[in-house]
Amino acid sequence: MRESYKRSELAKLKDEFGFNYSKSLGQNFLTDRNIIENIADALELSGQENVVEIGAGAGAMTTVLSERAGEVFAIEIDRRMIPVLENVTEGLSNVRILNEDFLKIDGGSLPHKYKLVGNLPYYITTPIIAKVLEDPLIPMPEQMVFMMQKEVGERLMSPSGKKSYGAISVLVQYYCEVSKVCSVPRTVFVPSPNVDSIVLSFVPKKGLSDDADVVRQMFAIVKAGFSMRRKTLRNSLASLGLSEEVLLSALSSADISPERRAETLSPDDFLRLAKEISAK
Ligand code: SAM
């Protein structure tokens, strides 16, 4: 095995392996060993865990994960990157390379118990996170550590009442405890993107026992509320198809004024309202 590619070598990869970096696949490769170590540290690995890496690219994180995990499942959509990955992980018997689109993957390709990590392609950060949290075929990871565009990370962590707070914030904060691992400047990537990044850790909450229908109702409310975020709940939630009487009575039982807007409701407020609506 060899160390991951250095900055100068990454730039040459395209000549050696005959391809160009694909902007549309979000190919910005990490070159900073300290940041890779920070990400691996955040996963708190003991040497036993299965780690699934989304978008392994040229393997900068894969080799470090291989030193610390039981088994590494390196998922990469771009088949042109596979020989590069194979080259860098040669001799690492605990690395499995899967040439797949993570958005199309089903639970069958993933271990049952695992941690999930990735320097995520910017263009599909939120669909990836939504898939992990909502797709019943994907086993819930024990932890996720993801690098993403700074503004997207701020949205995921945003408290209610802020402009950055939206449907994806409620989804993530309902299912997970979210914390910041580190900031990442654009200069540590090849090629360099035109945004800065942030690494966040997501620990799924244990013991979430809300009824599946209530959770479905909650996310229907979230969707309706945020699709007309400037309107009051009285108006934005009309699209749920409830009678006004039922809606106002549920809001009142949940102690939420119909004159408030969705962006002022915490994930707990949405859940309480969903329970009241489901009980009507
Ligand atoms: N992990 C590498 C690193 O940190 O240097 C590469 C990260 S790069 C930001 C994102 C990687 O995800 C690219 O290699 C890209 O080809 C891959 N990718 C993009 N869309 C994907 C998808 N739907 N499923 C799996 N991998 C994907």
Side-chain angles (χ1 to χ4, degrees):
M1 98 105 179
R2 50 158 299 153
E3 265 235 15
S4 53
Y5 292 98
K6 308 231 167 359
R7 199 178 177 85
S8 54
E9 295 172 316
L10 264 178
K12 278 191 230 143
L13 269 188
K14 45 187 200 283
D15 305 327
E16 199 178 330
F17 290 87
F19 64 89
N20 268 319
Y21 295 124
S22 160
K23 204 170 173 188
S24 64
L25 287 176
Q27 290 179 346
N28 303 100
F29 298 108
L30 254 177
T31 59
D32 187 309
R33 177 80 187 194
N34 284 336
I35 287 169
I36 295 170
E37 301 267 353
N38 281 348
I39 293 171
D41 288 349
L43 284 168
E44 297 183 11
L45 299 170
S46 70
Q48 306 298 312
E49 297 83 355
N50 294 312
V51 174
V52 174
E53 184 188 1
I54 302 174
M61 293 214 279
T62 321
T63 53
V64 175
L65 295 169
S66 154
E67 289 164 11
R68 301 193 187 192
E71 188 137 18
V72 181
F73 298 72
I75 300 175
E76 173 53 53
I77 193 173
D78 186 352
R79 87 187 138 66
R80 301 167 317 157
M81 294 308 304
I82 302 300
V84 183
L85 251 184
E86 284 170 347
N87 186 26
V88 86
T89 60
E90 195 184 339
L92 299 180
S93 58
N94 65 345
V95 175
R96 274 202 232 173
I97 297 172
L98 308 176
N99 181 203
E100 294 204 48
D101 177 350
F102 184 79
L103 288 178
K104 294 198 182 132
I105 219 157
D106 64 34
S109 315
L110 300 178
H112 192 64
K113 206 171 163 207
Y114 66 107
K115 293 190 171 195
L116 190 57
V117 67
N119 168 13
L120 297 182
Y122 293 137
Y123 74 110
I124 45 167
T125 301
T126 51
I128 286 177
I129 294 174
K131 175 178 168 93
V132 176
L133 297 178
E134 290 185 308
D135 186 339
L137 297 175
I138 301 285
M140 188 66 92
E142 295 174 285
Q143 187 191 0
M144 294 169 263
V145 175
F146 291 141
M147 170 151 13
M148 65 197 71
Q149 184 178 339
K150 183 169 156 253
E151 290 72 16
V152 175
E154 285 169 354
R155 250 192 278 146
L156 302 188
M157 283 194 299
S158 177
S160 57
K162 287 193 131 191
K163 225 172 133 193
S164 49
Y165 184 69
I168 188 72
S169 329
V170 182
L171 177 73
V172 163
Q173 292 172 26
Y174 170 71
Y175 283 110
C176 301
E177 300 294 349
V178 191
S179 58
K180 177 177 167 181
V181 175
C182 60
S183 299
V184 185
R186 62 191 75 184
T187 48
V188 301
F189 300 93
V190 168
S192 184
N194 46 16
V195 292
D196 292 314
S197 294
I198 191 170
V199 179
L200 300 184
S201 165
F202 305 81
V203 178
K205 294 177 187 167
K206 297 226 160 54
L208 280 180
S209 57
D210 302 308
D211 184 87
D213 286 335
V214 170
V215 175
R216 247 192 308 278
Q217 180 69 70
M218 169 174 162
F219 287 110
I221 298 169
V222 169
K223 194 172 162 208
F226 283 104
S227 64
M228 288 184 261
R229 61 185 293 151
R230 308 300 310 158
K231 295 200 168 172
T232 63
L233 295 169
R234 176 199 292 273
N235 292 318
S236 61
L237 299 189
S239 66
L240 288 173
L242 306 165
S243 71
E244 184 165 41
E245 187 193 346
V246 168
L247 176 60
L248 292 179
S249 146
L251 281 163
S252 160
S253 315
D255 205 16
I256 297 170
S257 160
E259 304 313 320
R260 284 172 66 182
R261 288 188 262 151
E263 66 196 30
T264 70
L265 269 58
S266 68
D268 277 350
D269 291 332
F270 280 111
L271 182 62
R272 227 173 43 251
L273 179 57
K275 285 181 178 162
E276 293 299 339
I277 289 180
S278 299
K280 299 281 173 200

